[in-house]
Amino acid sequence: MNPTSFPSSPPLSSRSTLTVLGAFVLALAGCHPVLSIEDARSRSNGSEVTVEGSVTVAPGTFSSALGDEGFAIQDDTGGIYVKLEEKLPFSLGARVRVTGTLDEQNRLRILKSVPEDVDLKSGTEQVSPKGVTTGGVSESVEGQLIRVSGAITQAFQDDSPYGYKLYIDDGTGEVQVFVHVSAGFDKAALQALTVGQSIAVVGLAAQYEATYEVAPRMPSDLSVQNAAP
């Protein structure tokens, strides 16, 4: 009588491969694919997404009006403000991956997150501002770092403790410049600006209710342009 035959066990290497693949599948099940920021912005409120980009607004810069310690990021497709209650220790240009929930704050598109879901990556990349006409500050550039210039049409308006307002126009339409108190500007210097002066502003293209605006991040983002000879 022949001895009973049993199926041979798979080689150790095969079992190891299956174990590794199984662990990989389980790991993927708890992860979100990294979306482009443009794609993420198009998703509905309440959607959980993961995006990656370079920091264009440092943590806490806009705390006086937005009431948080968040920051903004941008990739090749768009930008978005990340709402965060705790201030994280990184600067402009840092590369970060963020998982959060899409929402709106006074019609500004935001990504609500927590420190545990913000992953600092290696390397830095400074984002250059996109040149936009004053009349072109709209939903199409919201969340991005932009540069506008024009003549002041409405001078300093005090909206503290949130910020200060002024308005400029390059001939294509008036846009609001909203200077957050927390961005470190000298109030007297802003009050000294007068109607008719030409200024250039770099900042985040943002929105408050029905008003689109440009929010500079630091005093060097706003400069007075010399009149042509």
Side-chain angles (χ1 to χ4, degrees):
M1 180 180 291
N2 294 329
T4 303
S5 298
F6 295 95
S8 58
S9 299
L12 180 61
S13 59
S14 297
R15 289 202 302 268
S16 299
T17 301
L18 290 172
T19 300
V20 170
L21 286 174
F24 182 66
V25 170
L26 286 174
L28 283 180
C31 295
H32 296 274
V34 178
L35 304 178
S36 71
I37 293 178
E38 179 182 47
D39 187 358
R41 287 180 61 93
S42 70
R43 305 293 175 100
S44 59
N45 287 348
S47 299
E48 189 168 288
V49 299
T50 298
V51 294
E52 186 172 320
S54 299
V55 174
T56 54
V57 176
T61 302
F62 295 159
S63 61
S64 59
L66 295 184
D68 63 80
E69 300 294 339
F71 55 94
I73 61 171
Q74 186 169 325
D75 65 9
D76 292 337
T77 69
I80 195 165
Y81 184 82
V82 179
K83 189 171 183 66
L84 209 67
E85 297 304 320
E86 298 177 42
K87 189 173 183 178
L88 296 180
F90 47 72
S91 305
L92 295 177
R95 295 284 304 175
V96 295
R97 180 176 294 180
V98 185
T99 297
T101 303
L102 289 167
D103 204 346
E104 290 185 356
Q105 180 171 337
N106 299 314
R107 297 177 67 177
L108 172 68
R109 199 75 164 122
I110 62 172
L111 184 61
K112 297 168 67 175
S113 188
V114 293
E116 295 76 17
D117 289 335
V118 178
D119 183 18
L120 181 63
K121 315 300 283 187
S122 61
T124 61
E125 182 181 355
Q126 298 293 334
V127 175
S128 298
K130 177 181 182 178
V132 178
T133 62
T134 54
V137 182
S138 63
E139 191 69 28
S140 64
V141 293
E142 188 195 271
Q144 298 180 40
L145 187 66
I146 64 171
R147 182 183 188 275
V148 295
S149 59
I152 297 174
T153 54
Q154 299 181 54
F156 179 89
Q157 297 176 20
D158 194 337
D159 192 25
S160 56
Y162 310 109
Y164 315 114
K165 301 176 183 177
L166 54 93
Y167 297 80
I168 63 173
D169 192 343
D170 62 4
T172 64
E174 187 180 64
V175 69
Q176 177 175 284
V177 177
F178 188 85
V179 180
H180 292 257
V181 168
S182 50
F185 282 76
D186 177 52
K187 181 177 179 179
L190 294 173
Q191 287 176 311
L193 296 172
T194 58
V195 171
Q197 275 188 298
S198 291
I199 63 172
V201 183
V202 172
L204 186 74
Q207 182 177 5
Y208 181 79
E209 300 299 348
T211 301
Y212 288 98
E213 59 191 21
V214 184
R217 310 158 297 169
M218 62 193 85
S220 61
D221 276 347
L222 193 157
S223 58
V224 177
Q225 297 182 304
N226 293 326

